[in-house]
Amino acid sequence: MIRLFCLCLMVLWASPTVSHVTELAVLKLTEVGTGRYVLSWEMKPNTETSSRLQPVFPEHCTRSDFKIDCGERGLVGPLSFEKIGTGQSAAMFKIRNAYGETSIYTVTPSDPVAEVRPRFDSDGWAGVAEIAGSYFSLGVEHILQGVDHLLFVLGLIWISTGRWMLLKTITAFTAAHTVTLGAVTFGWIGVPEAFVNTMIALSILFIAVEAMAARAGRSTLTLRFPWIVSFGFGLLHGAGFASALSDLGLPDDAVPLALLAFNVGVEAGQIAFVLIVIAMLWSYRVMQVGWPRWSPLVPTYAVGGLGAFWFLDRFDLLLRV
């Protein structure tokens, strides 16, 4: 269990202590004439990267300050950023053409060049694959950098007894946040972001308290039916995912595809995290190391303490809204 606690510390060290933070920069390009675009940062690079992260446009495009002119050919060809990966995990080009349509291209250290194709090819398989791949990557990155989401999933693993119960609990969480992710994204429901973030923090505190009850041998409604709590709080976590996705933006002509790819990416990252935790718990049991009797309580108190801190901090922000 000490190793599991070290995992929590490593995750916290690698990620900010606030929710939905991604090392992502978004450069918006708005077409103001044939082949002419105005540039603006929708999400600025972090301060350490801002001087190095410079956009690179196709050779036929000329840049002047925050404008580019690609002439009659338009903005087609390779797009990239210099120094991508140096303090910035991903960067995005968000292009709005004269027809009011938005296209999004993401570059990462492993895939540093995005190819913009002519408008008539945007509905082809190449365009579909590019959108799906970009939003799948964003979904994986968001869940793996979302410390609050991962700690809640960790708590679900703690309170679920047996493989079948764990499967039902994780499935309920997945189903719930899929529902609200879609509903909020399509505008069917609206939930204030400050309220959602506060309740997500409360869910972490709640699940840590229930984990302590399980270790003490008590029986509660949550421990008997963890999938119910998983589903209920999963609705709130889904609204949190939707908030992050709205910040990133969606391509106007492929909202369902982008939403599906993002959600699949979230699930892939979540499954990877669950498998890693299960493997660590299995290793702990197999090794049979004689840890101190109090050691299993450390990760639970750590998660509960973080949940309480985030709740108080976010509740204070909620009162100020």
Side-chain angles (χ1 to χ4, degrees):
M1 193 60 68
I2 290 293
R3 296 192 176 192
L4 187 56
F5 178 54
C6 292
L7 172 65
C8 296
L9 289 181
M10 290 191 322
V11 171
L12 292 173
W13 179 264
S15 305
T17 55
V18 292
S19 63
H20 320 314
V21 173
T22 301
E23 294 297 331
L24 175 70
V26 180
L27 181 64
K28 185 177 182 180
L29 293 81
T30 304
E31 190 172 18
V32 294
T34 304
R36 293 184 292 112
Y37 294 81
V38 175
L39 314 180
S40 61
W41 287 107
E42 190 165 287
M43 292 178 64
K44 293 183 178 181
N46 61 47
T47 54
E48 297 180 357
T49 314
S50 57
S51 60
R52 300 190 298 268
L53 192 69
Q54 297 297 324
V56 179
F57 300 103
E59 292 183 356
H60 66 278
C61 298
T62 58
R63 180 177 178 182
S64 175
D65 294 328
F66 283 90
K67 298 179 182 179
I68 61 169
D69 189 346
C70 299
E72 294 294 331
R73 291 178 60 182
L75 184 55
V76 294
L79 294 175
S80 61
F81 282 94
E82 294 179 356
K83 306 296 184 181
I84 183 67
T86 309
Q88 205 78 45
S89 59
M92 178 185 290
F93 291 93
K94 189 174 181 180
I95 305 172
R96 187 172 183 83
N97 63 21
Y99 300 93
E101 300 169 341
T102 300
S103 300
I104 293 176
Y105 302 88
T106 303
V107 297
T108 62
S110 60
D111 189 13
V113 179
E115 188 73 23
V116 181
R117 294 173 177 81
R119 185 168 177 267
F120 62 80
D121 185 50
S122 62
D123 293 329
W125 286 111
V128 169
E130 188 163 12
I131 292 173
S134 294
Y135 278 88
F136 176 84
S137 299
L138 290 172
V140 172
E141 181 177 355
H142 179 71
I143 186 65
L144 293 182
Q145 291 193 354
V147 181
D148 45 6
H149 299 303
L150 294 182
L151 291 184
F152 182 75
V153 173
L154 179 62
L156 294 179
I157 297 173
W158 285 341
I159 67 172
S160 300
T161 55
R163 298 176 182 177
W164 175 237
M165 183 60 75
L166 176 61
L167 178 62
K168 288 198 298 183
T169 303
I170 297 298
T171 300
F173 180 67
T174 298
H177 71 63
T178 298
V179 169
T180 46
L181 172 60
V184 174
T185 300
F186 285 115
W188 298 337
I189 61 173
V191 185
E193 183 177 359
F195 172 77
V196 169
N197 289 337
T198 302
M199 296 307 294
I200 287 175
L202 181 61
S203 72
I204 299 170
L205 176 58
F206 177 86
I207 211 72
V209 172
E210 291 297 323
M212 292 296 295
R215 295 192 186 284
R218 297 196 299 270
S219 177
T220 66
L221 180 64
T222 298
L223 297 177
R224 291 195 298 272
F225 306 102
W227 58 269
I228 296 178
V229 173
S230 173
F231 185 87
F233 280 120
L235 295 174
L236 292 166
H237 283 255
F241 292 145
S243 175
L245 185 57
S246 66
D247 290 340
L248 297 174
L250 291 166
D252 295 339
D253 56 347
V255 172
L257 173 63
L259 176 61
L260 176 63
F262 181 82
N263 192 51
V264 172
V266 168
E267 302 315 322
Q270 178 179 292
I271 291 172
F273 176 76
V274 170
L275 292 178
I276 290 172
V277 173
I278 291 176
M280 293 188 70
L281 291 172
W282 177 82
S283 300
Y284 170 75
R285 288 193 293 267
V286 169
M287 289 187 299
Q288 296 182 341
V289 179
W291 299 109
R293 294 182 58 184
W294 50 263
S295 63
L297 300 177
V298 175
T300 312
Y301 275 112
V303 171
L306 282 171
F309 172 77
W310 284 333
F311 173 73
L312 294 174
D313 183 56
R314 297 174 187 182
F315 185 73
D316 179 61
L317 292 175
L318 180 62
L319 294 178
R320 299 181 186 184
V321 175

